[in-house]
């Protein structure tokens, strides 16, 4: 990286190309395109891909002699293709130029974070010394979500003649971006049609095979400068191309602009996708005006999401924020989409929605709350599907899927491949029912930060109450313990999906699951008391919620079992009875043991036998709740939780976690900032560099880890500040670590926009913009302060 706002790669490294394509993805929340070169096709080195939010398709495959269905976020027709070759006046035309063709001399690409553009600068040379410099600037428009553009400039050195250019749209694409999925059905498009309009515009239409989403792209190609021929259309069944020649010579550069529009049948207010795309491409402004409007849109967005952190950490955080905003922008507020765990950047996890919103929405709540509301709306529209899933499982309430896609059914696979052993294995991740608690938590946090009581009292209340009902239905009284138990689940750890030698999957009394279930039940009961009377009666009548059911919730919320062993909180009942793993031995044998589950399975063993966790599980509670709130939940359940118990528990699991998820380092950094500050930075660094350095070993090439990226932003915004939004006030309990001791963030809270919060020199600085709203209430160190609109204040940190 070469600057605070740029991310650059010097030289061409085929082995790194897919990673770079992911990190150089451009998007606008509606669709995104990987940073692949326009002159290269898909293959072992390159993985071009364009993905529209919420565009899924379902196919069937045969895996391990069984028929399975899988739903994928669809790789759409590739709008990037633009190839070229030198045609000297005194020699035959040369070969089509690509970075892999042997004529590459120099190469550099730069991602401009401030303005949302990717610029590639390449120099080719032939055997006779003729050189061609190619500069290409790319954008996916942040102002108009349907537009994208390429401007390609050619400079000849040591020769004169023409550059021949072929630009187009390629509809013959598949989902091949993840190697372990390639043996499965991957052709999601059918029904191709192509055409040309207005001399300079071609289009391609198609539809998805089973979901029947109609997709259309139109490309307008224009050359600048005298002597350039008009484009010549060349149409085949699955490709729409335009060819043209551009005169070049010493002092005569050539420029060609390609402007693309993308529409689907999911879009409102259009007649059909083809006509909408053709019209948008033809009427789009020329590239300079498009670029100017795109840059303005990004500048406005950066103002709303301002984050100021000095040094290398600040530069990486800016990259993380850039990719979060490209996946979930203000345009997302108009779409029926959730939080894709790998962004719109690749095909890993098939584009599914997991619990990653737990790490994403807390950041968005304080910057783009309208986007948070829309993402929660995605969950509410699938509430009936979640209730149906619960009924089919013999339970009441809402059982949200671990992996969600288009329609709310469970998309978690029944089998998964261990690439180390080559074996297909049963996948029990759908037992991670704690996703329901994550949704309830996000409802509560969003409403606390935004003051959106209308959502809380309607859609939010429906979700929280049905999730509470599900936990109550799954809680079984154990007379021997004198407590309720939740059996047969999988916790956030994921390595443990059953007991050693058990014939059925699932674990009993996962602490994270039980504690968050108790929290949900308390929030549901609180809602039952605070809902407006008319709304309460309507809702109770509609979902048939009676007083006996609420009384049972109260009992369960106070008597759910939390297992302990040897003075620490157990991850689940029986965790302390498992064998200890020879951690040093495995590190010596394998080096990187983050994916310890795959290593053990390849040895015909299983992590179910060991006290070895993939990622934070019990410690996730320290991420969700402040120390005081967590102690309050344990007290509600009748268990003590003081600093000694918590710190002992933190140390215990630190020694037994392999960090096989990018979320693990993030959560440990958050927890250690409170429990053991001197060790927090090690985990902060890993969280920051997880995708940049591809620490998980090739996974970033398949898409970014959106939850981890958003989580690092929230680590600064809430983790380092101790920020909570509750009871109509900003609660602050700063715990900056030395490496992140000075920073600033801009927030939206309740009706106040653009609150500036800075921590520097053991002081908190707050500035509230002028408005007609009530003063901002701030809680710090046991004291309450008010900051009137149009004023600022400096407050000393406690103990300074």
């Amino acid at each position: 990286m070469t600057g605070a706002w740029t991310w650059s790669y010097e030289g061409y490294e085929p082995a790194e190309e897919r990673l770079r394509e992911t990190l150089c993805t451009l998007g606008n929340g509606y669709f995104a395109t990987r940073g692949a070169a326009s002159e290269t096709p898909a293959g072992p080195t390159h993985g071009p891909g364009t993905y529209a939010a919420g565009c899924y398709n379902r196919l069937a495959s045969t895996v391990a002699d069984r028929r399975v269905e899988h739903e994928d976020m669809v790789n759409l027709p590739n709008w990037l293709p633009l190839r070229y070759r030198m045609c000297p006046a005194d020699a035959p035309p040369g070969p089509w130029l690509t970075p892999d063709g042997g004529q590459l001399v120099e190469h550099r690409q730069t991602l401009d974070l401030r303005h949302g553009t990717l610029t590639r600068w390449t120099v080719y040379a032939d055997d006779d010394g003729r050189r061609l410099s190619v500069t290409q600037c790319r954008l996916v428009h942040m102002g108009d979500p349907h537009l994208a553009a390429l401007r390609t400039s050619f400079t000849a050195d040591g020769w004169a003649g023409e550059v021949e250019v072929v630009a187009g749209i390629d509809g013959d694409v598949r989902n091949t971006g993840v190697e372990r999925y390639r043996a499965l059905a991957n052709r999601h498009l059918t029904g191709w049609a192509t055409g040309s309009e207005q001399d300079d515009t071609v289009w391609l239409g198609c539809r998805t095979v089973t979901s029947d989403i109609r997709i259309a792209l139109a490309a307008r190609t224009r050359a600048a400068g005298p002597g350039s021929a008009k484009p010549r259309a060349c149409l085949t069944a699955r490709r729409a191309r335009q060819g043209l020649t551009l005169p070049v010579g010493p002092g005569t550069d050539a420029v060609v602009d390609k402007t693309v529009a993308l529409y689907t049948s999911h879009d409102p207010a259009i007649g059909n996708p083809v006509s909408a795309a053709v019209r948008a491409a033809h009427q789009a402004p020329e590239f300079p005006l498009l670029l100017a409007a795109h840059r303005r849109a990004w500048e406005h967005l950066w103002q709303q999401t301002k984050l100021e952190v000095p040094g290398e950490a600040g530069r990486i955080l800016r990259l993380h924020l850039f990719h979060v905003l490209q996946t979930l922008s203000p345009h997302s507020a108009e779409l029926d989409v959730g939080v894709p765990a790998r962004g719109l950047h690749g095909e890993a996890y098939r584009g599914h929605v997991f619990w990653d919103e737990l790490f994403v929405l807390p950041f968005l709540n304080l910057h783009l709350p309208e986007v948070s509301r829309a993402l929660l709306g995605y969950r509410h529209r699938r509430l009936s599907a979640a209730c149906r899933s619960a009924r089919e499982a013999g339970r009441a309430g809402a059982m949200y899927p671990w992996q969600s896609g288009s329609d709310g059914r469970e998309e978690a696979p029944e089998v998964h491949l261990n690439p180390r052993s080559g074996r297909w294995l049963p996948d029990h991740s759908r037992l991670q029912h704690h996703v329901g608690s994550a949704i309830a938590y996000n409802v509560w946090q969003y409403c606390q930060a935004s003051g959106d009581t209308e959502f809380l009292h309607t859609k939010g209340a429906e979700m929280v109450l049905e999730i509470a009902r599900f936990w109550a239905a799954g809680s079984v009284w154990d007379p021997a313990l004198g407590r309720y138990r939740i059996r047969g689940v999988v916790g956030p750890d994921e390595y443990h999906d059953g007991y050693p030698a058990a014939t059925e999957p699932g674990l009993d009394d996962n602490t994270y699951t039980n504690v968050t279930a108790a929290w949900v039940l308390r929030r549901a009961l609180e809602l039952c008391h605070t809902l407006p009377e008319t709304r309460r009666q309507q809702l109770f009548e509609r979902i048939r919620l009676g007083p006996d059911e609420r009384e049972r919730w109260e009992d369960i919320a106070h008597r759910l079992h939390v297992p302990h062993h040897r003075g620490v909180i157990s991850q689940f009942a029986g965790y302390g009875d498992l064998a200890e793993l020879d951690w040093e031995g495995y590190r010596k044998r394998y080096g990187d043991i983050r994916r310890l589950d795959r290593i053990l399975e390849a040895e015909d063993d299983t992590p179910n036998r060991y006290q070895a966790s993939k990622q934070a599980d019990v410690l996730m509670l320290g991420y969700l709740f402040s120390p005081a709130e967590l102690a309050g939940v344990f007290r509600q359940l009748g268990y003590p939780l003081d600093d000694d118990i918590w710190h002992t528990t933190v140390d215990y699991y630190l020694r037994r976690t392999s960090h096989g998820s990018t979320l693990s380092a993030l959560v440990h950094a958050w927890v250690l900032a409170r429990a053991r500050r001197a060790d927090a930075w090690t985990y902060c660094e890993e969280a920051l560099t997880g995708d940049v350095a591809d620490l998980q070993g090739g996974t970033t090439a398949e898409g970014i880890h959106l939850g981890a990226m958003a989580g690092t932003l929230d680590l600064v915004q809430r983790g380092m500040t101790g920020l909570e939004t509750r009871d109509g006030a900003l609660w602050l309990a700063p715990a900056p670590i030395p490496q992140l001791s000075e920073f600033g963030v801009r927030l939206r809270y309740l009706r106040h926009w653009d609150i500036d919060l800075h921590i520097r020199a053991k002081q908190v600085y707050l500035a509230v913009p002028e408005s007609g709203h009530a003063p901002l209430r701030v809680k710090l160190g046991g004291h309450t302060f008010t900051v009137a609109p149009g004023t600022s204040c400096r407050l000393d940190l406690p103990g300074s």
Side-chain angles (χ1 to χ4, degrees):
M1 189 155 62
T2 57
W5 286 91
T6 58
W7 196 269
S8 294
Y9 295 103
E10 194 77 34
Y12 178 68
E13 297 289 344
E16 299 294 319
E17 191 65 10
R18 283 179 176 263
L19 170 64
R20 295 178 181 183
E21 288 173 357
T22 296
L23 294 177
C24 290
T25 294
L26 296 180
N28 57 23
Y30 175 79
F31 79 97
T33 296
R34 287 170 58 84
S38 64
E39 64 271 26
T40 56
T45 301
H46 305 284
T50 291
Y51 309 97
C55 186
Y56 292 99
N57 185 67
R58 191 179 305 278
L59 294 175
S61 300
T62 300
V63 176
D65 298 322
R66 63 193 295 182
R67 184 181 184 274
V68 298
E69 285 191 352
H70 54 272
E71 186 178 61
D72 290 80
M73 184 172 65
V74 178
N75 183 15
L76 302 182
N78 183 11
W79 63 271
L80 289 177
L82 190 149
R83 60 175 183 162
Y84 42 83
R85 61 179 176 175
M86 294 187 282
C87 299
D90 57 353
W96 297 103
L97 299 170
T98 74
D100 304 295
Q103 293 183 306
L104 183 69
V105 177
E106 299 178 59
H107 179 74
R108 181 175 66 250
Q109 64 188 58
T110 298
L111 185 64
D112 182 343
L113 305 178
R114 188 188 297 274
H115 300 121
T117 58
L118 175 64
T119 301
R120 303 173 68 91
W121 180 72
T122 309
V123 180
Y124 295 99
D126 66 15
D127 293 339
D128 296 317
R130 302 182 187 91
R131 294 166 65 95
L132 181 68
S133 297
V134 184
T135 303
Q136 187 178 84
C137 181
R138 177 186 309 176
L139 62 87
V140 174
H141 210 282
M142 187 55 81
D144 187 326
H146 298 280
L147 295 181
L150 293 173
R151 164 162 281 197
T152 310
S153 304
F154 303 95
T155 303
D157 181 5
W159 65 284
E162 295 177 330
V163 172
E164 183 179 359
V165 175
V166 176
I169 307 166
D170 182 4
D172 192 16
V173 298
R174 302 186 183 208
N175 276 53
T176 58
V178 179
E179 184 176 357
R180 61 190 175 278
Y181 301 164
R182 289 175 192 164
L184 307 178
N186 56 32
R187 186 177 284 284
H188 292 279
L189 302 178
T190 189
W192 298 269
T194 59
S196 62
E197 301 281 346
Q198 308 288 341
D199 294 332
D200 59 3
T201 302
V202 295
W203 57 266
L204 182 146
C206 57
R207 61 180 175 82
T208 54
V209 173
T210 57
S211 57
D212 200 31
I213 302 170
R214 288 171 291 139
I215 301 148
L217 293 92
R220 183 189 74 194
T221 304
R222 292 176 178 172
S228 300
K230 289 185 177 180
R232 307 173 302 279
C234 176
L235 306 176
T236 63
R238 300 179 185 180
R239 293 181 176 88
R241 300 172 180 155
Q242 293 167 297
L244 66 163
T245 56
L246 311 171
V248 294
T252 306
D253 294 348
V255 177
V256 61
D257 291 336
K258 179 181 180 183
T259 305
V260 176
L262 187 159
Y263 280 82
T264 79
S265 54
H266 280 173
D267 293 318
I270 62 170
N272 66 73
V274 169
S275 60
V278 169
R279 182 169 55 251
H282 184 68
Q283 295 179 353
E286 297 296 334
F287 187 85
L289 293 177
L290 267 180
L291 177 61
H294 172 69
R295 290 165 65 117
R296 286 195 299 273
W298 265 109
E299 287 168 0
H300 294 322
L301 198 49
W302 284 118
Q303 284 299 311
Q304 288 180 261
T305 57
K306 190 174 181 181
L307 181 72
E308 297 175 339
V309 177
E312 185 69 6
R315 288 190 284 271
I316 296 175
L317 285 164
R318 194 169 289 118
L319 178 74
H320 288 185
L321 179 50
F322 178 75
H323 284 304
V324 170
L325 295 175
Q326 291 193 126
T327 306
L328 301 167
S329 78
H331 300 301
S332 306
E334 305 300 320
L335 305 175
D336 178 34
V337 297
V339 178
R342 303 301 283 273
L344 299 175
H345 295 61
E347 297 166 16
Y349 299 160
R350 305 189 184 282
H352 290 166
V353 175
F354 292 71
W355 70 327
D356 296 66
E357 63 210 63
L358 187 63
F359 303 88
V360 176
L361 263 64
F363 179 81
L364 294 177
N365 291 342
L366 295 166
H367 299 277
L368 299 169
E370 65 277 10
V371 177
S372 291
R373 179 176 173 133
L375 297 172
L376 292 170
Y378 167 90
R379 293 298 193 179
H380 181 262
R381 283 185 287 275
R382 287 150 182 82
L383 177 60
S384 60
C387 291
R388 183 167 57 251
S389 295
R391 288 195 301 273
E392 291 171 355
R395 303 269 285 273
M399 185 173 78
Y400 275 96
W402 176 239
Q403 296 188 36
S404 180
S406 60
D407 60 10
R409 76 181 80 175
E410 178 62 76
E411 300 294 349
E414 296 179 5
V415 293
H416 67 272
L417 176 68
N418 180 359
R420 184 178 285 272
S421 69
R423 290 191 284 252
W424 288 92
L425 309 167
D427 190 316
H428 302 303
S429 59
R430 64 186 60 217
L431 296 177
Q432 293 192 72
H433 300 315
H434 60 81
V435 64
S437 294
I439 293 167
Y441 180 88
N442 279 326
V443 167
W444 197 262
Q445 291 295 323
Y446 159 72
C447 294
Q448 290 286 311
S450 65
D452 190 350
T453 54
E454 187 273 334
F455 185 88
L456 179 63
H457 292 161
T458 54
K459 297 175 182 178
E462 289 181 57
M463 287 189 282
V464 172
L465 266 59
E466 291 289 14
I467 293 166
R469 178 177 261 169
F470 174 77
W471 286 130
S475 300
V476 179
W477 178 253
D478 185 332
L481 275 177
R483 287 195 170 267
Y484 291 93
R485 308 185 69 182
I486 297 177
R487 299 180 182 272
V489 300
V490 171
D493 160 39
E494 293 186 330
Y495 274 0
H496 296 87
D497 62 0
Y499 289 101
T503 57
E504 294 294 326
L507 304 161
D508 298 336
D509 299 316
N510 172 255
T511 288
Y512 176 83
T513 300
N514 286 15
V515 171
T516 56
W519 181 89
V520 171
L521 289 164
R522 287 303 307 159
R523 297 288 77 77
L525 289 164
E526 184 176 330
L527 270 172
C528 289
H529 290 295
T530 58
L531 283 170
E533 179 62 28
T534 301
R535 171 59 183 158
R536 181 167 56 246
Q537 291 178 358
Q538 292 173 345
L539 181 57
F540 285 7
E541 181 178 338
R542 186 155 65 81
I543 68 174
R544 299 179 181 178
L545 181 66
D548 291 348
E549 196 170 350
R550 299 198 301 274
E551 288 175 9
R552 186 166 186 270
W553 291 6
E554 184 79 45
D555 192 40
I556 295 170
H558 286 84
R559 294 206 277 179
L560 267 169
H561 180 46
V562 177
H564 290 67
H565 69 277
R566 297 191 290 279
V568 302
I569 304 166
S570 301
Q571 186 169 301
F572 52 81
Y575 186 88
D577 298 328
L578 301 178
E580 291 283 9
L581 183 79
D582 180 8
W583 290 92
E584 287 307 311
Y586 272 89
R587 288 191 177 98
K588 288 178 181 177
R589 289 165 60 191
Y590 293 99
D592 185 349
I593 61 169
R594 285 184 175 88
R595 290 312 305 264
L596 182 65
D597 57 333
R598 293 176 175 174
I599 292 171
L600 290 170
E601 193 278 329
E603 293 182 343
D604 297 318
D605 203 347
T606 170
N608 284 331
R609 296 181 57 231
Y610 302 101
Q611 295 182 44
S613 301
K614 176 183 177 181
Q615 57 187 308
D617 194 299
V618 173
L619 303 193
M620 269 294 302
L621 296 170
Y623 169 79
L624 292 186
F625 306 116
S626 68
E629 188 174 9
L630 183 58
V633 178
F634 269 70
R635 188 165 53 250
Q636 164 193 316
L637 289 167
Y639 293 100
L641 181 63
D642 56 24
D643 287 347
D644 288 341
I645 295 172
W646 181 246
H647 292 176
T648 300
T649 300
V650 169
D651 291 341
Y652 184 86
Y653 289 105
L654 272 176
R655 297 193 296 270
R656 293 166 174 82
T657 304
S658 72
H659 306 292
S661 163
T662 55
L663 296 172
S664 189
L666 166 69
V667 173
H668 282 83
W670 188 292
V671 169
L672 288 173
R674 301 281 166 184
R676 213 166 70 195
R677 193 173 302 179
D679 297 327
W681 179 244
T682 298
Y683 294 94
C684 283
E685 278 193 306
E686 182 166 333
L688 287 168
T689 59
D691 274 335
V692 173
D694 196 17
L695 295 180
Q696 294 291 327
T699 61
T700 304
E702 303 166 350
I704 61 165
H705 296 82
L706 189 69
M709 283 192 170
T712 61
L713 304 172
D714 199 36
L715 175 63
V716 176
Q717 174 179 276
R718 292 192 308 135
M720 297 295 104
T721 62
L723 175 63
E724 297 178 81
T725 53
R726 54 186 172 90
D727 304 328
L730 286 180
W731 296 64
L732 297 172
I737 60 178
Q739 297 85 351
L740 287 174
S741 59
E742 296 188 3
F743 55 86
V745 296
R746 177 166 289 173
L747 310 172
R748 269 174 72 179
Y749 175 59
L750 301 179
R751 295 185 177 184
H752 295 287
W753 289 54
D754 299 337
I755 300 167
D756 281 323
L757 167 64
H758 293 268
I759 291 183
R760 185 179 297 115
K762 297 184 179 181
Q763 284 189 323
V764 176
Y765 170 80
L766 279 161
V768 180
E770 184 70 55
S771 73
H773 303 308
L776 175 70
R777 293 176 60 236
V778 180
K779 299 272 190 175
L780 176 66
H783 301 284
T784 301
F785 306 89
T786 57
V787 187
T791 69
S792 62
C793 70
R794 293 186 185 275
L795 306 172
D796 292 330
L797 296 184
S800 62

